[in-house]
Structures are given as structure tokens and as C-alpha cells.
Amino acid sequence: MRVIPKVELHVHLEGTAPPELVHRISVRNGLPLPERLLGDDGRFRYTDFLDFLRTYDLAASVIRTGEDYRDITYEYLCSCAAGGAIYVELTASPDHAALVGLSDEEHLGGIAQGIDDARRDTGIEGRILISAVRNFGVEQALRVARHAAEHPHPYVVGFSMAGDEAGFPAGDFGQVFEIAAGAGLGCTIHAGEWAGADSVRAALSLPVTRIAHGVRSIEDPSLVSELADRGIVLECCPTSNVVLGVYPSYEQHPLPELRAAGVRVTLGSDDPPYFGATIEGEYDVCAERMGFSAEDLRAVTATAIDAAFCDDDLRAALRDRI
Ligand code: ADE
Ligand code: ZN
């Protein structure tokens, strides 16, 4: 599996830091670890999806400096490179950085340093998607999009939106995505994870070329045909879906069915230590539990390179590596 080059388009940066790194960072910042962050087993503790989002916010609350973001980025990218990844798009959240008083310059500067250091040490490439948090509301999402549009950064290539999909419908965020797309950022949005086909339909009214998750599109065959016809790419995260309970097992996950229907699919680990996931592991799951051949997995990587929001020079260089 290690010899198959891998590309990851869906992973939340704060969500890549394992408990040990969050602990190291909290000690460095002179902060106690938030009380209900970890269970007795030393792993992140949460009971369901919304509780997971709260635990995620708790972990993010001790990440305070550019150096912290550099270390998280560097350590995550190096672990991906060890598993055979050649390119990762990291979803960064200015809202989480602002909550701890971190400036945009220091936040993005730290992440960019992590990307540069990981490239130097392993050859892996990384780029950044700016994400708004939908449950922080439309006004805040507008501020995030405007800031990203007015302060271009060479490594920021896309815009995304995470958070509570069921409570905050995509259709409310049209202007947010017009601003991001108008600034030349590639756009994607969480949909079809914690709400069904209607949520994906609403997302398709936005200027997006990819959907984060999107797997519950399977509930509406005409939507599946539309995704296939429009060439919309799904960023699928099977382990996240199974651990959080969107589907009871890998065998009941619709990824193979979507792919068989002509939908373009890629793989992501979402929030790796929360779910016991890695990008290499997601490729393994497809091979071992979903019937993908080595050739199928190479095609998944090729789709991810096609759908990446990076510039075409980097895209061509990535193609050369597969
Ligand atoms: N933020 C971090 N992980 C997320 C997920 N799986 N869905 C929505 N928002 C998230
Ligand atoms: Zn996600």
C-alpha cells in the first residue's frame, strides 16, 4: 500500500494533532489541558457529532502560537509522507485562531513554515484551505471569506465550510462563497454527512467543484446522477463516517456504490486521531473492505490531483509523481 502515491484533500488542521501533541503544546503555553478533553484511555472524549465538535474546540483552545501551528502542520505532513502521501490540502480555521488571539499572519505563517519544513525533510507538498465554521453564523463566515479574499497568501488555494451542517443550511451562505470564488479560491463545503440529499442539493447551488463527504447523496438516485454528470468530486472519509455513526460499518458505506455510479471520489482522514484514521489507512480500508484494486486506488489519487485547488504547475508535478 505504501507504494501507491496518496493525496489527501480533506483534513482539518487542528484535528490532526494527537493528544500527546496537544499535551506538549499546552505545557509549552503554560496552560492546563481542558478537563473533559481526554477519556481514561488517553484518547479524545466525545459522545456524538456535536459533542465531537465541542471536544475539537477544546483541543484547539490550547493551540496559541505560530510555532504551535508550525509543529502541528510539520508533524502531520511528515506522518502522511511516511505513509506514501505526496500532497495534502490542510483545512485551516481562522475562527479558531482568532478565538485564542492569534493574528492571521502568525497563524498562516506558522502553517506555511510547517509545509516548507515538511517538504524539505520528506518531499511532501501541502496547501491550505481557509474554512469558516457554519454554526458561527453567516456574518462571521462573510468576515472570514472577505479577509481571505483581501489578503491572498501563496499557499491558500481554497475555501471550505465546516461545523453543524444540519442546523445551518448551505443556502444561507451564498454570498460567502461568491466572495471566496470571486477571489479565485477553489470551493468546497461539508454536506451530506449529518444531513441528507437536500443538504447536498443546497450545496450545489454554491460555486463549488467539490463536496466534503457528500456520501448521503446516495439517498437520492437523481442527485447521484447529477453529481456524476457535473463531475463534482466527493471528499470521502469512510473511517470518520463509521466512527461517528453516519454508517454502521465499512461494508454499509456507500463509497463503492457512488463510484460505480460514475461519481468522482477521493479520500480523506478528516480528524485523524479522533477517529483512529490516517490517509494511508483510508486507502487500506478501500482495498480491504470495499473491493478497490491497486489500479482503482491509483485512479483515486489521479482524481484527487485533478480536483486539487493548487496551481497547474504543481498539479503537473504531482502527476509526474504518479
Ligand atoms: N469540523 C471538524 N471535523 C468536522 C466534520 N467531520 N464535519 C463537520 N465539521 C467538522
Ligand atoms: Zn471534515
Side-chain angles (χ1 to χ4, degrees):
M1 191 55 60
R2 241 165 233 181
V3 301
I4 294 181
K6 300 166 191 79
V7 165
E8 169 156 67
L9 300 183
H10 190 96
V11 67
H12 301 264
L13 188 54
E14 290 88 5
T16 69
E20 172 276 319
L21 178 54
V22 175
H23 183 251
R24 217 186 320 145
I25 285 173
S26 72
V27 169
R28 182 160 79 194
N29 292 338
L31 297 165
L33 263 195
E35 228 173 71
R36 48 166 297 283
L37 183 70
L38 303 178
D40 292 339
D41 57 1
R43 299 183 57 170
F44 292 120
R45 184 207 328 237
Y46 52 88
T47 53
D48 56 21
F49 175 62
L50 292 181
D51 194 43
F52 154 73
L53 291 180
R54 284 190 283 277
T55 299
Y56 184 104
D57 291 348
L58 279 181
S61 72
V62 305
I63 304 168
R64 298 269 166 113
T65 69
E67 184 188 10
D68 297 343
Y69 273 99
R70 181 263 168 217
D71 290 353
I72 291 169
T73 303
Y74 177 78
E75 293 187 21
Y76 182 62
L77 288 178
C78 289
S79 73
C80 290
I86 58 172
Y87 176 71
V88 176
E89 286 184 358
L90 302 154
T91 299
S93 171
D95 285 321
H96 285 93
L99 278 172
V100 297
L102 191 58
S103 74
D104 202 52
E105 291 67 33
E106 217 189 325
H107 180 218
L108 290 180
I111 300 170
Q113 190 63 54
I115 291 173
D116 289 342
D117 292 350
R119 180 194 308 109
R120 177 199 64 209
D121 292 349
T122 70
I124 194 167
E125 264 297 357
R127 290 294 183 267
I128 302 167
L129 311 190
I130 294 293
S131 177
V133 180
R134 58 214 291 165
N135 40 296
F136 290 178
V138 173
E139 287 307 315
Q140 183 56 19
L142 277 170
R143 276 192 282 276
V144 171
R146 280 198 194 105
H147 189 90
E150 288 163 11
H151 300 82
H153 182 289
Y155 286 176
V156 172
V157 295
F159 186 82
S160 177
M161 198 154 61
D164 178 7
E165 168 192 1
F168 296 81
D172 295 348
F173 295 88
Q175 201 190 343
V176 173
F177 278 83
E178 293 301 337
I179 291 169
L185 297 171
C187 290
T188 178
I189 182 172
H190 284 70
E193 179 194 21
W194 290 102
D198 287 349
S199 174
V200 178
R201 284 199 182 284
L204 290 180
S205 71
L206 305 172
V208 297
T209 54
R210 306 188 335 214
I211 300 276
H213 298 284
V215 283
R216 289 186 57 192
S217 305
I218 201 72
E219 295 165 18
D220 178 346
S222 69
L223 175 60
V224 172
S225 302
E226 186 177 342
L227 292 174
D229 291 347
R230 287 174 58 171
I232 299 285
V233 171
L234 302 188
E235 306 157 10
C236 296
C237 309
T239 298
S240 164
N241 294 157
V242 170
V243 172
L244 282 173
V246 181
Y247 295 103
S249 69
Y250 290 117
E251 284 69 23
Q252 283 156 283
H253 194 281
L255 171 54
E257 207 182 324
L258 288 161
R259 188 168 164 275
V263 178
R264 303 171 80 203
V265 296
T266 67
L267 293 170
S269 60
D270 212 6
D271 304 281
Y274 291 78
F275 309 136
T278 61
I279 185 57
E280 185 186 4
E282 296 305 278
Y283 276 73
D284 280 339
V285 158
C286 284
E288 288 162 15
R289 311 279 293 269
M290 294 179 166
F292 283 55
S293 67
E295 196 187 327
D296 294 335
L297 291 174
R298 283 183 191 279
V300 166
T301 296
T303 297
I305 294 174
D306 290 347
F309 292 149
C310 63
D311 65 49
D312 286 339
D313 286 348
L314 177 51
R315 195 186 323 281
L318 293 171
R319 283 196 184 116
D320 283 348
R321 293 178 68 177
I322 62 165

